Amino acid sequence: MTGGLARFSLNQQTVRQWSLPELVAGCAAAGVRHVGLWREPVRRHGASAAARLVRDAGLSVSSLCRGGFLTAADATGRAAALADNRAAIEEAAELGTRTLVLVAGGLPPGSRDLAGARERVADALAELCPRAAGCGVRLAIEALHPMYASDRCVVTTLRQALDLAERFPADQAGVVIDTYHLWWDDTVAGQLRRAGEGGRIAAFQLADWVTPLPEGALLGRGQLGDGCVDLRWFRRRVDAAGYRGPVEAEIFSPRLWARDGAGALAEVLDRYRRFVLDIP
Amino acid sequence: MTGGLARFSLNQQTVRQWSLPELVAGCAAAGVRHVGLWREPVRRHGASAAARLVRDAGLSVSSLCRGGFLTAADATGRAAALADNRAAIEEAAELGTRTLVLVAGGLPPGSRDLAGARERVADALAELCPRAAGCGVRLAIEALHPMYASDRCVVTTLRQALDLAERFPADQAGVVIDTYHLWWDDTVAGQLRRAGEGGRIAAFQLADWVTPLPEGALLGRGQLGDGCVDLRWFRRRVDAAGYRGPVEAEIFSPRLWARDGAGALAEVLDRYRRFVLDIP
């Protein structure tokens, strides 16, 4: 009945033209069973009302995006980041997801010290991990593409994300596997094995790589199958590493946002069947 | 007399508003002793006339940019690429530089096979290395930032560049150290040591990393000191690895190109003294 969609999850940003109620109704109508949510729209709706809406529709929340931004060098910025992440942990728990995605944060203004910023992320994780575990939430460290290293995420490879996660128990810290960010790295197959062996894969997200990149490089993610990422290879490797959780389509694309939400989702599902699942 | 500029080289693209004669005159006037040249302007001037012009001004050519684009999967494309690279080798020899910079090339249209493309680069190097050596030229493999992996260069890290270079004798194949492409990589210190121990550093190029990236991500390189790259750290590490050759400023920046060439060069030299050299 699900047409291969049992594990498919729709990340909310992929169809951000939809309100939360539209997202829930649209997913239910399309046979989608999981959604990845973002904090801002959840907060606009109210976290507990959002949780009820999703639950009543029979959906599960595969992940909440996102905490993180843990690289501030000053005490005030650091305290604010920790408080914000504690709130995100509580929101994740309220939504019933075990997975809070963390984006590390970039370099503070004027800084050239990548190694120092990475250590501050580790320090913050040491404070946040036990708190998250107490709420039944696992922190999922996401490596972003190196083109975001200065302004968004000093964690640029899956190896670095695992180096960070492995400082903490596996039920407290995991990693996100995102094809858009990792596809170029020829060490990724070995790191996926490592992640699987350690039980560290907390989330698996899909987007394709297309060029030219738009100004700012943020909103140019490709519809599945439009680019050069071997998505099926990734899905097989992540499966082989033992991951059995949801597979989230997370595509920041103005082209998709300009469309009717149901039409955009239908295209994503068609591409998921053709470029991600095994050919029947 | 040189004010710390003995090793400084001006890559032609940094002041591409200058013709080749203007470049040579401008460098001589500013006390710059080395220039990095590009094939297109050299060809427009005529390679042998360009060689004479540079030599008569007492300048040396630190490198010629660029050969490469060796990833074509079809016989015709491959033959054309090899022929073009043989011509580039001859142009480098005529200009009296030992260093021909190679950019590997991206994925062929429709391909998702990064590993295959990288192997084709190795195959082409096997054909080109002896030819280059016969002309007294060394092929300098340049890793580009991973944001160019699909459309420009499947070699994305210094480790990969060294893996390729080390298949061939050190006098035939080296690597380019370019701060813009490598700054984000936390394994780069170890790879710089490896490159030095093997005598593989063929060129050292400087640009800073600034955001936001412009559309297409190609022309957003930062003036030295404007961004977040610790240029002095890189220069010290490259020095410590035993490299004693020219240090090229190669900055693709429309902001610099819009200026008077002499003013742009003066600013680059000021920044080189303040952000690259040791503080006196």
Side-chain angles (χ1 to χ4, degrees):
Chain A
M1 285 301 289
T2 57
L5 297 185
R7 292 174 65 193
F8 179 85
S9 176
L10 181 64
N11 187 287
Q12 176 163 33
Q13 282 291 334
T14 306
V15 285
R16 76 174 187 194
Q17 62 272 50
W18 267 348
S19 67
L20 193 61
E22 288 171 335
L23 175 78
V24 167
C27 283
V32 170
R33 318 255 297 260
H34 314 281
V35 287
L37 298 182
W38 280 64
R39 294 179 68 198
E40 295 74 11
V42 164
R43 285 179 154 184
R44 277 199 301 273
H45 194 84
S48 84
R52 200 163 48 242
L53 182 69
V54 171
R55 196 172 51 238
D56 289 352
L59 298 173
S60 84
V61 178
S62 49
S63 70
L64 179 65
C65 292
R66 61 196 182 182
F69 295 90
L70 301 168
T71 51
D74 63 301
T76 307
R78 175 181 170 77
L82 290 173
D84 185 56
N85 278 274
R86 285 192 286 266
I89 288 166
E90 283 165 24
E91 290 158 24
E94 176 135 39
L95 291 168
T97 180
R98 266 188 53 67
T99 304
L100 176 62
V101 174
L102 292 197
V103 171
L107 288 170
S111 171
R112 298 185 172 95
D113 181 12
L114 271 175
R118 288 167 180 148
E119 270 314 302
R120 290 195 296 279
V121 174
D123 292 346
L125 288 174
E127 300 206 26
L128 293 170
C129 274
R131 176 83 167 218
C135 295
V137 170
R138 179 155 75 154
L139 303 179
I141 301 161
E142 183 165 19
L144 297 199
H145 192 284
M147 69 186 176
Y148 303 121
S150 70
D151 57 0
R152 199 165 288 270
C153 189
V154 294
V155 177
T156 56
T157 61
L158 181 53
R159 181 192 53 70
Q160 281 183 324
L162 286 166
D163 286 350
L164 277 168
E166 289 175 358
R167 299 189 189 197
F168 308 98
D171 65 335
Q172 296 184 11
V175 297
V176 180
I177 309 301
D178 187 313
T179 59
Y180 187 78
H181 298 303
L182 304 178
W183 74 278
W184 57 272
D185 181 357
D186 67 343
T187 71
V188 79
Q191 296 299 324
L192 287 172
R193 277 194 300 277
R194 171 185 171 196
E197 286 162 6
R200 297 284 175 173
I201 303 180
F204 179 32
Q205 297 183 326
L206 304 172
D208 214 333
W209 179 271
V210 293
T211 56
L213 295 169
E215 186 181 355
L218 192 60
L219 303 182
R221 307 206 186 169
Q223 169 66 287
L224 312 181
D226 278 356
C228 60
V229 180
D230 192 338
L231 299 168
R232 188 173 286 118
W233 179 94
F234 260 96
R235 201 264 308 147
R236 286 176 174 162
R237 293 284 177 148
V238 172
D239 280 1
Y243 177 74
R244 298 287 174 265
V247 182
E248 260 186 38
E250 185 193 48
I251 307 166
F252 300 172
S253 164
R255 200 182 65 75
L256 282 177
W257 299 335
R259 296 174 55 176
D260 165 68
L265 173 55
E267 186 182 87
V268 171
L269 294 177
D270 173 61
R271 299 300 186 88
Y272 178 74
R273 290 187 177 99
R274 286 164 54 201
F275 292 97
V276 181
L277 295 180
D278 284 313
I279 298 159
Chain B
M1 285 302 288
T2 58
L5 297 187
R7 292 175 64 194
F8 179 86
S9 176
L10 181 64
N11 186 286
Q12 176 162 34
Q13 282 291 332
T14 306
V15 285
R16 75 174 187 195
Q17 62 271 48
W18 267 348
S19 68
L20 193 61
E22 288 170 336
L23 175 78
V24 166
C27 283
V32 169
R33 318 256 297 262
H34 314 281
V35 287
L37 298 182
W38 280 65
R39 294 179 68 198
E40 296 73 11
V42 165
R43 286 178 155 186
R44 277 199 301 273
H45 194 84
S48 84
R52 199 164 47 242
L53 182 70
V54 170
R55 196 173 51 237
D56 289 351
L59 298 173
S60 84
V61 179
S62 49
S63 70
L64 179 64
C65 292
R66 61 193 182 183
F69 295 90
L70 301 168
T71 51
D74 63 302
T76 308
R78 175 180 171 76
L82 290 173
D84 185 57
N85 278 275
R86 284 191 287 266
I89 289 166
E90 283 165 25
E91 290 158 24
E94 177 135 38
L95 291 167
T97 179
R98 267 188 52 68
T99 304
L100 175 63
V101 174
L102 292 196
V103 171
L107 288 170
S111 171
R112 297 186 173 93
D113 182 13
L114 271 174
R118 288 168 180 147
E119 269 314 301
R120 289 195 297 280
V121 173
D123 292 345
L125 288 173
E127 300 206 26
L128 294 170
C129 275
R131 175 85 166 218
C135 296
V137 171
R138 179 155 76 154
L139 303 180
I141 301 162
E142 181 165 19
L144 297 200
H145 192 285
M147 69 187 175
Y148 303 121
S150 69
D151 57 0
R152 200 165 288 269
C153 189
V154 294
V155 177
T156 56
T157 62
L158 180 53
R159 181 192 52 70
Q160 281 183 325
L162 286 166
D163 287 349
L164 276 169
E166 289 174 358
R167 298 188 190 199
F168 310 97
D171 65 335
Q172 296 185 9
V175 297
V176 180
I177 309 301
D178 186 314
T179 60
Y180 186 79
H181 298 302
L182 303 179
W183 74 278
W184 58 272
D185 182 357
D186 67 343
T187 71
V188 78
Q191 296 300 323
L192 287 173
R193 277 194 300 277
R194 172 186 170 194
E197 286 163 6
R200 298 284 175 173
I201 302 179
F204 180 31
Q205 297 184 326
L206 304 172
D208 214 333
W209 179 270
V210 293
T211 56
L213 296 169
E215 185 181 356
L218 192 59
L219 304 182
R221 307 205 186 170
Q223 168 67 286
L224 312 180
D226 278 355
C228 60
V229 180
D230 192 338
L231 299 168
R232 187 173 286 119
W233 179 93
F234 260 95
R235 199 266 309 147
R236 287 176 174 164
R237 293 284 178 149
V238 172
D239 280 0
Y243 178 73
R244 298 287 175 264
V247 183
E248 260 186 40
E250 185 195 49
I251 308 167
F252 301 171
S253 164
R255 199 182 66 73
L256 282 176
W257 299 335
R259 296 174 54 176
D260 165 67
L265 172 56
E267 185 182 89
V268 171
L269 294 177
D270 173 61
R271 298 302 186 88
Y272 177 75
R273 290 186 176 100
R274 286 165 53 201
F275 292 98
V276 180
L277 294 181
D278 284 312
I279 299 160

